[in-house]
Amino acid sequence: MPSPLRASLTRFVQHQWQQGGWLSTLLRPLGALAAWHVRNKRAAYATGRKPSWRAPVPVIVIGNIYVGGTGKTPVTIATVNALRAQGWHPGVISRGYGADIGAAPRCGMAPLDATLYGDEPALIAAATGVPVGVHPKRPLAAQTLLARWPDIDILICDDGLQHLALQRDIEIVVQDERGTGNGRLLPAGPLREPVERLQDADIIITNRQALPARAAKATTTTAQRPMTVSMSLQPERYEHLSSGRSLPPAMFTAEAAGLPLAAAAGIGNPARYFAMLRQQGLHLDTTLPLPDHHAYDDNPFARLQAERILITAKDATKCRALADDRLWVVHAAPSFQPADWLARLPLPANGQAHAMNAPGQDGNG
């Protein structure tokens, strides 16, 4: 369980990254050095000094410039499902964070072992039913996935915005209500790339606690770049991890009324998850924020005094072996404004890939 000292330190750093302060100012020279490195890296790929790989199918990259979790995985799942409904045959590639991948990529379909593929790829595979390939070198993962499933006609790269060795046709940046924080790069701020990088994206999705009361005005063109979209995650069902029993939100809330409840999350922003549950009318007696991609080598819930413990679908990929009968999985789904943005993705005509950022050279770096 996280110590009070660690929680206090996390709050301090987050405040520095959002509002600025003495520590952020002290670290500004390192942030400037990081910005210089990012610019040089992008220039090296843009001029061909570093090789990049052009896939034979369109590539959509979903990522962020704010370090940590902003809601990329739900966007990836929604994108894959929308593309399937449109007649595409998607495949997903990912780094496989948290798993020891080794020299060769791993490819498979659900169910995937989160210890071998990573928790996010295992969740994406389960939620979409499409082939998933993982490797730190995204071109290598893509090549292996396409060789094994030749009917794949579009690739979605989960969390690969900064991986320029893979060329892309569409970039989707996911941020949350923290925006760009104090606007500085790591370690002086929370950004992986400068703020102006957002202008290169095709779509910027902001993950909000609730959608704006006024619906965004739909447009009929994607010429304005980047397109802006609002997203809000809300529970669509609660699943008892041990038995598979599933309840809609209203029925779960009614059943849980008066019971001691706890919620736990090993994700990038646990506070947003806890707030979502409270918005559903659930009284949480205990909240347990855990590090993102928590391994669950032992049971962190053992000391919790609760009859039901609510965990995320991402954490559930690693919690089944704990055999804790109190665990309920919160399956959350995104709502978007404008609602039709997935139908208006600026995909290449006739499924043909178009070079976007870098020259078409082979490379797995």
Side-chain angles (χ1 to χ4, degrees):
M1 187 174 294
S3 67
L5 177 61
R6 178 175 180 174
S8 178
L9 181 61
T10 298
R11 286 193 298 270
F12 173 73
V13 171
Q14 290 296 331
H15 182 270
Q16 294 284 310
W17 280 0
Q18 283 300 116
Q19 307 297 330
W22 66 266
L23 180 60
S24 174
T25 301
L26 187 66
L27 294 172
R28 284 187 69 178
L30 293 178
L33 183 63
W36 174 84
H37 173 74
V38 168
R39 285 193 295 269
N40 278 5
K41 176 183 174 182
R42 288 186 63 81
Y45 280 105
T47 59
R49 286 188 285 116
K50 280 192 173 184
S52 60
W53 183 70
R54 159 58 56 190
V57 299
V59 173
I60 299 174
V61 168
I62 300 172
N64 60 0
I65 67 169
Y66 197 109
V67 69
T70 55
K72 298 181 298 295
T73 300
V75 172
T76 298
I77 291 169
T79 301
V80 170
N81 288 333
L83 289 170
R84 292 185 71 185
Q86 295 170 22
W88 293 87
H89 300 87
V92 174
I93 56 173
S94 179
R95 180 181 177 225
Y97 189 90
D100 184 9
I101 305 301
R106 291 195 177 113
C107 299
M109 297 180 70
L112 299 181
D113 187 337
T115 62
L116 297 178
Y117 285 83
D119 47 19
E120 287 163 349
L123 174 59
I124 292 167
T128 64
V130 304
V132 173
V134 296
H135 197 273
K137 295 181 177 179
R138 273 52 158 210
L140 192 55
Q143 291 160 9
T144 306
L145 193 69
L146 290 169
R148 184 166 174 184
W149 282 277
D151 61 329
I152 291 174
D153 54 15
I154 191 166
L155 286 171
I156 293 84
C157 182
D158 175 52
D159 193 18
L161 192 67
Q162 288 77 36
H163 198 85
L164 301 180
L166 177 69
Q167 295 181 41
R168 65 285 310 266
D169 298 280
I170 297 173
E171 286 186 335
I172 300 174
V173 174
V174 184
Q175 59 184 16
D176 58 21
E177 291 171 320
R178 295 172 294 181
T180 54
N182 63 15
R184 297 172 182 172
L185 268 67
L186 292 165
L191 302 184
R192 299 171 176 176
E193 298 186 80
V195 174
E196 54 266 26
R197 174 69 172 88
L198 294 175
Q199 296 306 310
D200 296 329
D202 296 278
I203 299 164
I204 297 177
I205 298 176
T206 303
N207 184 7
R208 306 180 186 278
Q209 199 62 55
L211 290 177
R214 197 171 181 178
K217 184 178 179 181
T219 59
T220 57
T221 176
T222 57
Q224 184 178 0
R225 187 165 174 255
M227 182 197 307
T228 58
V229 177
S230 291
M231 176 181 84
S232 178
L233 286 168
Q234 298 298 327
E236 62 175 1
R237 64 186 177 92
Y238 296 79
E239 178 191 1
H240 186 227
L241 186 60
S242 298
S243 67
R245 181 186 178 220
S246 186
L247 295 175
M251 188 174 295
F252 180 87
T253 300
E255 275 198 10
L259 296 179
L261 293 181
I267 58 176
N269 190 348
R272 185 172 58 231
Y273 167 72
F274 301 144
M276 176 189 73
L277 295 176
R278 290 188 175 105
Q279 279 188 339
Q280 297 297 304
L282 295 170
H283 175 74
L284 303 178
D285 298 279
T286 307
T287 57
L288 177 61
L290 296 164
D292 196 11
H293 304 285
H294 187 67
Y296 291 99
D297 293 327
D298 53 18
N299 188 349
F301 315 126
R303 296 182 181 179
L304 294 183
Q305 301 298 314
E307 289 195 29
R308 294 189 181 185
I309 302 172
L310 305 176
I311 62 173
T312 72
K314 173 177 164 180
D315 292 303
T317 64
K318 294 175 288 189
C319 286
R320 195 173 298 276
L322 298 178
D324 192 325
D325 197 52
R326 300 173 296 165
L327 298 181
W328 284 77
V329 186
V330 182
H331 294 278
S335 298
F336 297 104
Q337 286 184 3
D340 67 339
W341 75 274
L342 283 163
R344 296 187 285 119
L345 287 175
L347 289 168
N350 301 319
Q352 297 299 310
H354 292 246
M356 176 178 165
N357 284 325
Q361 302 180 32
D362 290 334
N364 292 323

